[in-house]
Amino acid sequence: MKTMHVSIVTPNGPVLEMDATMLSTKAISGELGILPGHISMVAPLDITNVRVKQNENVVKVAVSGGLLEVRPDSITILAQAAEHADKIDLERAMKAKERAEKRLSEKGDAIDVHRAEIALRKAINRINTINM
Ligand code: ATP
């Protein structure tokens, strides 16, 4: 079966390097499913997860947005933060979710709503990535 090389890279270093038969994720423009041989393209990613399939084996990674670069034989994702599903600290994500929800419920000028919404989406994405 044809494969492509997948790399997920963050400022802290590489999070994933593997050969894959399919990658699915969510770009800002919508869901993407990419097979080897795909035309080259670049797409900004949502706060979402990436499912990387190698035959029947699926690896799940939470990404906090980033840039997806597709070439026919490789995919590179550059993300500010990314975690393997089995490396996600559920308690930390639950606390981050509660913190963000509390901030959003406190109405006042001192609250940066956009920042709290992003923190909430990142925490929910990490929790969903563990549970999917
Ligand atoms: P927190 O509020 O818990 O620090 P955050 O969303 O602000 O979360 P980030 O700034 O996105 O955290 O990430 C900082 C670093 O911590 C990154 O290396 C990221 O991979 C890691 N990280 C954040 N949350 C978790 C988690 N729940 N489990 C494992 N690693 C995490």
Side-chain angles (χ1 to χ4, degrees), residues 61-79:
V61 178
V63 293
S64 300
L67 195 68
L68 171 85
E69 186 188 16
V70 180
R71 291 174 188 273
D73 59 356
S74 66
I75 298 182
T76 305
I77 291 176
L78 303 173

Side-chain angles (χ1 to χ4, degrees), residues 4-78:
M4 56 195 169
H5 190 72
V6 175
S7 310
I8 301 182
V9 184
T10 73
N12 293 333
V15 170
L16 183 84
E17 291 282 349
M18 68 181 272
D19 289 326
T21 48
M22 184 173 179
L23 179 145
S24 35
T25 189
K26 189 161 170 258
I28 301 289
S29 56
E31 291 283 340
L32 288 175
I34 302 162
L35 298 170
H38 198 283
I39 54 163
S40 296
M41 66 168 205
V42 173
L45 286 185
D46 214 341
I47 296 171
T48 187
N49 45 67
V50 181
R51 279 94 62 207
V52 187
K53 207 168 167 188
Q54 192 183 49
N55 301 314
E56 293 318 304
N57 176 32
V58 183
V59 176
K60 295 173 292 179
V61 178
V63 293
S64 300
L67 195 68
L68 171 85
E69 186 188 16
V70 180
R71 291 174 188 273
D73 59 356
S74 66
I75 298 182
T76 305
I77 291 176
L78 303 173

Side-chain angles (χ1 to χ4, degrees), residues 88-98 123 126-127:
I88 295 172
D89 180 340
L90 179 60
E91 202 180 308
R92 176 172 169 182
M94 299 287 283
K95 282 189 182 147
K97 178 173 175 282
E98 277 165 28
R126 286 177 173 128
I127 295 163

